[in-house]
Amino acid sequence: MSDPDFRTPEEAGRVSGTAEPPSGPPAAALAAAAAARLAELRLREPLTHSITNSVVTGFTANALLALGASPAMVDIAGEAGVFAGIADGVLLNLGTPAPEQRRAMREAVAGAARAGTPWVLDPVAVGALPVRTALAAELLAAGPAAVRGNASEILALAGRGGGGRGVDSADGPDAAREAALTLALAHDAVVAVSGPADLITDGASIVRVENGHPLLTRVTGGGCALGAVCAAFLGVRGDRPALEAVVAAHLVYGLAAERAAEGAAGPGSFAVRFIDALGALSPDEVSAGARLRVAAARTAGEGRA
Amino acid sequence: MSDPDFRTPEEAGRVSGTAEPPSGPPAAALAAAAAARLAELRLREPLTHSITNSVVTGFTANALLALGASPAMVDIAGEAGVFAGIADGVLLNLGTPAPEQRRAMREAVAGAARAGTPWVLDPVAVGALPVRTALAAELLAAGPAAVRGNASEILALAGRGGGGRGVDSADGPDAAREAALTLALAHDAVVAVSGPADLITDGASIVRVENGHPLLTRVTGGGCALGAVCAAFLGVRGDRPALEAVVAAHLVYGLAAERAAEGAAGPGSFAVRFIDALGALSPDEVSAGARLRVAAARTAGEGRA
Amino acid sequence: MSDPDFRTPEEAGRVSGTAEPPSGPPAAALAAAAAARLAELRLREPLTHSITNSVVTGFTANALLALGASPAMVDIAGEAGVFAGIADGVLLNLGTPAPEQRRAMREAVAGAARAGTPWVLDPVAVGALPVRTALAAELLAAGPAAVRGNASEILALAGRGGGGRGVDSADGPDAAREAALTLALAHDAVVAVSGPADLITDGASIVRVENGHPLLTRVTGGGCALGAVCAAFLGVRGDRPALEAVVAAHLVYGLAAERAAEGAAGPGSFAVRFIDALGALSPDEVSAGARLRVAAARTAGEGRA
């Protein structure tokens, strides 16, 4: 790719100190920060509170455990708020939002707000489905540190698309770039759009994480567990700078997927190898393997990459 | 086996055009149709809406993804009906029918009826357990395209047995042959009875799928995910002829199990290899590996095979 | 370890018949009983009714199936009591105790009491979280045959600690030894405290199971499925002597973990190999591989091991 708005880590390294972008860190600095955060995560074992859909609970918990975080799923009223105050990071995933989970999510948001716990919103399949679409709007207004979804979900959350069966595979994350920027600025949140290359923005910078593997889309929870990993990374040092934490999550996740795909015979063995890889990936491999590109949002906003 | 009512694909091929059974396609034609449907499924990626039990959600979604379908689980009131209208096929599995799921299932049935979406009923453990037994009777009356269960479940659904701990392993699907025929004719549905050899009928023909492997019974969701695969195959071309779709599902599933069993060290590695195999199985392998036997129902009804 | 209160199987064998401890069986007898129970479990396939948390349902069922038990999860009101009366053993795990599950658990306890079905209480994360803490106290009073938890949970259940993020990894099961003895005597139950070496007591004897592997703590359900395996073993011969059954469960589980860890590349492949190992482990390997130590409770109570 030859998009002049974006620089590889190598390029960023070469120009380091000579021509910094007007906002945000260069790619090499983000990669180094991701490596350091991974090491720190394994020392601190952030307690990561996931209220997530019933399809991916096991995979999500195993991804967190393998990574080095401490997962817990407390998704009932009367407990979720208490636990969000104890936890280091929280994920709210709207995949199967039964009434009890909706109550628990509202408690968790309140508990997280009281304790200053950063939390992630994953607006699964918002748009066409009314209950979660209303819930997502309500939760978005409550101040997540980060939002993670695919392009159609981010577009729907920003009110620009119908969601579902939509834009994802055809257009990729770039189709949701403006929506992501708008959400990030309006809600002071990091917004991550998953796709062949993930697009992550805090409203000032746009980071693309080119690490990853298509087999992740053939494993249920491949996206949902990434939201939990974002919450874990946000839980390492709290939510500032949240951009670094969310980029670290995507980078580690994508690199583990690349490693897992080597020698996988299909999505079953890939999923097993992916969990192994999340545990085996070293900080050095993160900084060496990162394929990040960074641009200022205002520049990136001028045209399609 | 020397049951004169049934013909192997080879036999069916030999006699093709000379002595067709009075109803239904010959085995070789069903195998070829299954191969074609698999290819078509991978092109169309049918959106398969599963409302299923909490034990098998992840395995079911992974089986669908590996196969090439697009899984979604929308199991709350206020959304399930909407989604059943968008989906290509729907599964209702009664394994853990909590109140919210029961409401969602009723909505899904109504939404599927409005949109003409074919749906599958899997009456898990009906008979001894009162809530699901009443629910299964209600749903059966609402017009599923297919019903899938083991022998004791099909017997119980037909009012001929107490269900649970029953007939399955001892007698196998043949014990439920008359019950399956009765249900198929009364409800204009394809009825599939899982077992060492699956028995599938639309009331006119009886098809036996001899592909499969006992390790499937050692993996949770081994039966439940098959119900979802039936819904996916029904979603490829709608529900006519549903017999072809349900046979295709059982055939592909059984062949993937056979492939997975080679080299498996136990049920853990088998399950991983099974997901890989669902993705790797080619249409040619389906037509070449099929072990089907077909008979007219009135002949088959005359005596035990 | 040189704790004079405890004897290895070899030591127990050597002194057999000369200096039996004042209460309870020697280690070699427990190991032999575990081997015999494993063989019997595989013949009888005890129907094991698990009401457990939404994160570990699939792994739990797969562990039971691999072992040779027959799992079922009936967790709704109107059915759980009926099913607890049919089942051979019941697990109540408090990991995600939604209101419907709480109703189901109360029904299950009543049904189990009527039928004499032994049941296991796993008080996940009690202490800091109010709903489950109250529920655990209520269920404990209803007479479980066994209680299984980690040290912080057992301490919290005995009213001696706040639970959560607590004592487990730092202190290990010994920190909960007095709490376990108190609970066992007060409730006439076997109490098992999981850790690097599991501590199991019926109030008279204290058994330590030194088999196991740290990778079990990196797999979600690694502890929860053990509770279900305890219920399965209790279901083989009913709940007397429950100590033998619970020790057998821990021993088989720990040995399978040791076998699985050989050649595992991380927690993902370990989990797969663990399920395989539960199926492959032979009774002879159980008696040969056991690392048990047994002491009388009153002696053990005098000081720290």
Side-chain angles (χ1 to χ4, degrees), chain B residues 148-151 154 168 172-173 192-199 223 226 250:
Chain B
R148 191 217 72 84
N150 61 33
I154 298 301
D168 326 72
V193 191
S194 298
D198 306 313
L199 184 157
L226 175 53
H250 283 71

Side-chain angles (χ1 to χ4, degrees), chain B residues 215 218-219 264-273, chain C residues 66 271-276:
Chain B
L215 273 170
R218 304 288 296 279
V219 175
S269 46
F270 171 78
V272 173
R273 297 169 65 88
Chain C
V272 172
R273 297 168 64 90
F274 178 68
I275 297 295
D276 283 349

Side-chain angles (χ1 to χ4, degrees), chain B residues 78-150:
Chain B
E79 293 191 344
V82 176
F83 200 69
I86 300 172
D88 296 305
V90 178
L91 165 71
L92 304 183
N93 172 301
L94 305 191
T96 53
E100 183 73 9
Q101 273 207 344
R102 302 201 291 269
R103 285 187 284 272
M105 286 182 187
R106 290 180 178 116
E107 286 188 8
V109 163
R114 280 191 297 272
T117 315
W119 59 281
V120 176
L121 173 64
D122 189 335
V124 180
V126 296
L129 297 171
V131 175
R132 69 190 67 199
T133 301
L135 180 62
E138 175 190 339
L139 294 174
L140 180 62
V147 177
R148 191 217 72 84
N150 61 33

Side-chain angles (χ1 to χ4, degrees), chain C residues 30-256:
Chain C
L30 276 170
R37 279 179 183 261
L38 175 60
E40 208 170 335
L41 183 149
R42 288 187 178 144
L43 284 174
R44 299 198 182 184
E45 302 181 3
L47 185 56
T48 306
H49 178 196
S50 299
I51 302 184
T52 192
N53 71 76
S54 58
V55 186
V56 304
T57 49
F59 185 74
T60 300
N62 279 328
L64 290 171
L65 278 169
L67 183 67
S70 178
M73 182 166 171
V74 178
D75 65 349
I76 62 169
E79 293 191 345
V82 176
F83 199 69
I86 300 172
D88 296 305
V90 178
L91 165 71
L92 304 184
N93 171 301
L94 304 192
T96 53
E100 183 73 9
Q101 273 208 345
R102 301 201 292 269
R103 286 187 283 272
M105 287 182 186
R106 291 179 178 116
E107 286 189 8
V109 163
R114 282 192 296 271
T117 315
W119 58 280
V120 176
L121 173 65
D122 189 336
V124 179
V126 297
L129 297 171
V131 175
R132 68 191 68 200
T133 301
L135 180 62
E138 175 189 338
L139 294 174
L140 179 63
V147 177
R148 189 214 74 83
N150 61 32
S152 67
E153 291 160 351
I154 298 302
L155 283 166
L157 196 63
R160 300 188 187 184
R165 279 198 150 178
V167 90
D168 327 70
S169 22
D171 300 274
D174 280 330
R177 184 167 58 178
E178 295 307 313
L181 281 169
T182 303
L183 287 173
L185 291 168
H187 297 280
D188 190 22
V190 171
V191 177
V193 190
S194 298
D198 305 314
L199 184 156
I200 305 169
T201 183
D202 60 358
S205 300
I206 292 185
V207 182
R208 291 184 194 213
V209 180
E210 298 183 341
N211 299 95
H213 195 277
L215 273 171
L216 268 180
T217 65
R218 302 288 297 278
V219 175
T220 197
C224 296
L226 176 53
V229 168
C230 289
F233 271 98
L234 284 165
V236 175
R237 298 185 192 171
D239 65 347
R240 290 295 177 263
L243 183 69
E244 270 188 25
V246 174
V247 168
H250 284 72
L251 185 48
V252 166
Y253 207 81
L255 281 161

Side-chain angles (χ1 to χ4, degrees), chain A residues 97-293:
Chain A
E100 183 74 9
Q101 273 207 346
R102 301 201 292 269
R103 285 187 284 272
M105 286 182 187
R106 291 180 178 114
E107 286 188 8
V109 162
R114 280 192 297 273
T117 315
W119 58 280
V120 176
L121 173 64
D122 190 335
V124 180
V126 296
L129 297 171
V131 175
R132 70 191 65 199
T133 301
L135 180 62
E138 176 189 336
L139 294 174
L140 180 63
V147 177
R148 189 216 73 84
N150 62 32
S152 67
E153 292 159 351
I154 298 303
L155 282 166
L157 195 64
R160 301 189 186 184
R165 279 196 152 179
V167 89
D168 327 73
S169 20
D171 300 273
D174 280 329
R177 185 169 57 178
E178 294 308 313
L181 281 169
T182 302
L183 287 173
L185 291 168
H187 297 280
D188 190 22
V190 172
V191 177
V193 190
S194 297
D198 305 314
L199 184 156
I200 305 169
T201 183
D202 60 358
S205 301
I206 292 185
V207 182
R208 290 183 195 216
V209 179
E210 298 183 343
N211 300 94
H213 196 277
L215 274 170
L216 267 180
T217 66
R218 303 288 297 278
V219 175
T220 198
C224 296
L226 175 53
V229 169
C230 288
F233 271 99
L234 283 165
V236 175
R237 299 185 192 170
D239 64 349
R240 290 293 177 263
L243 183 69
E244 270 188 26
V246 174
V247 168
H250 283 71
L251 185 48
V252 166
Y253 206 80
L255 282 162
E258 291 173 8
R259 176 193 282 229
E262 292 164 19
S269 47
F270 171 78
V272 172
R273 297 168 64 88
F274 178 68
I275 297 295
D276 283 349
L278 281 172
L281 197 70
S282 72
D284 282 353
E285 290 171 305
V286 172
S287 43
R291 296 201 305 282
L292 299 177
R293 309 197 321 144

